[in-house]
Amino acid sequence: MGSPISIPLCYWYENGSNVPRDEFMPAKALENAFYKTLEEFPILAGYVKIDTDRKLYVEVNKDDLNMPVYTDTVCDLDYSDMHKFGFNIDRLPIGSSSKCGVPVSPGLFGKKIKTAYVHAVRFKDNGGVLVYASIMHCLFDGYGFTRLVNRWAEIARWMVQPQDAANKAPFPACEYIYDRAVPTSIRSSETTSLDSSMVKTLQSRNIISKCVTWLSPELRGQLLKRVIDATSYTCSFFHIPSKTMESIRDSVQRHAPPGIRYSINDVIIAYLTIVVAQAKKQANSDRISRRLASPFRTVFGQGKKSKPTGEFKANLSVSMHTRLSHPDAPKYLGNMSMGRDAMFPETLVYVEPTDEALSALALIIHEVVASSDEKVYSQLGYLAESKADNYLRMGFGTWTCKKKLLTSNHSRLGHYEVDFGAGIPSLVRHGPQVSTDVAYVMATNPKVGGYEIELKLAPEVAAKVVQNASWMKLVDKFEYYK
């Protein structure tokens, strides 16, 4: 555990005509259900501390709980206004929104890091509700996050039932656990092959990660908060119909080796890799052209040229909950994801996205994911914890790479099953991020169908993506905000 980065997600609920305004997601029920959920997962009420080896850990003291921040506020905007704003939470009035990409803000919430931050924003006349939840990523990954929020919603549904004791259903049993013995029981020093890029990251010297290990948890949080506030990116959202992606996948599949079956996610990430890699290259060429045209060039010189790597990296977030032999792994909600690097020669990404080109990339992605077995997870976990700054080095190694795309597939995680008693969300999107060059493959509301691709890119790169004609042909709906 190296840093207090979080998963921030926004669940948008629109009040339809079937639910009376005073019964739509009642505030008290949501809050009581949240604290009832904490009783099952007290790790969220722990203190983030640092041990003698300079590693972060969470300590729960039943006599001194560090309760998460839970806020419920009323906004004077109509829910329909958020449609006009593209559901950009930065357009909410001050006090109604949060840019807490890290669940840390000592100036607002006290001096200690909070492992979770929840904010329910109610729109005018209770016409809709935004549930913003930000939970520390090292404690829960996307798999665990969605199941935790669904458990919270399940308890809320039970609470809003009629209070007639004769008809009220029994309290729903919890099928999930948070037992650290699940991931640690399979961890060993047994060697296996790891990504060459990961080995290089762990072997290379990194002064920044060394320095950060000597910071307190609170200072690490403040540093990350400043990084988030200073990061400039454009959020782009592309909706692709299911039939379009299924057709592309079937076409690409014809070029797959015998015995290989590509998933739609394999093909989406392959396509995104080509589109983003080319957009980054075009944006960089424009930047160089401006520098060469600058009159300051003759005075200060051209500056140090970056050494080409010859490769483009797609970092794949692979969930291990259903890949491990431990019988309780699917029920465990703690973070059991690992980042795997799919490395592509530049000759494969700076090309037209033909079926053959997409198949070449999809094959690399497929093989990296398929090789993410228990031995790799065990070895990576062992190495990550062998030195205080290894977690940080992994993060910095990925973030500081210029030719990269961080990817995560949320299309099967159950975001659109989170029903607090008034129906599922109309829209689910991520909140502020600590890094650019991020792509999420999201599901959509069942009434809409298809896939929504969230891209968080530098503004000049995002502009080049929209200019990519082959990519935009796949898209039937597009929106963005800065």
Side-chain angles (χ1 to χ4, degrees), residues 114-126:
K114 301 293 185 179
T115 60
Y117 174 93
V118 175
H119 194 162
V121 181
R122 299 178 181 278
F123 292 89
K124 189 175 181 180
D125 298 324
N126 210 23

Side-chain angles (χ1 to χ4, degrees), residues 29-44:
L30 263 64
E31 184 176 6
N32 289 342
F34 176 75
Y35 288 117
K36 193 70 176 176
T37 309
L38 284 187
E39 295 178 12
E40 299 174 342
F41 301 97
I43 189 73
L44 291 173

Side-chain angles (χ1 to χ4, degrees), residues 324-369:
L324 302 182
S325 59
H326 197 291
D328 288 332
K331 297 187 293 184
Y332 176 68
L333 298 195
N335 191 336
M336 285 205 304
S337 293
M338 60 179 176
R340 299 295 309 278
D341 291 338
M343 305 301 294
F344 308 107
E346 291 185 346
T347 53
L348 293 183
V349 297
Y350 299 137
V351 296
E352 289 296 315
T354 62
D355 293 342
E356 294 88 342
L358 290 171
S359 179
L361 269 63
L363 179 61
I364 295 174
I365 295 166
H366 179 87
E367 291 177 340
V368 168
V369 174

Side-chain angles (χ1 to χ4, degrees), residues 97-116:
S97 64
S98 170
K99 296 187 74 172
C100 253
V102 175
V104 168
S105 190
L108 293 176
F109 310 129
K111 296 181 179 180
K112 296 298 182 181
I113 287 179
K114 301 293 185 179
T115 60

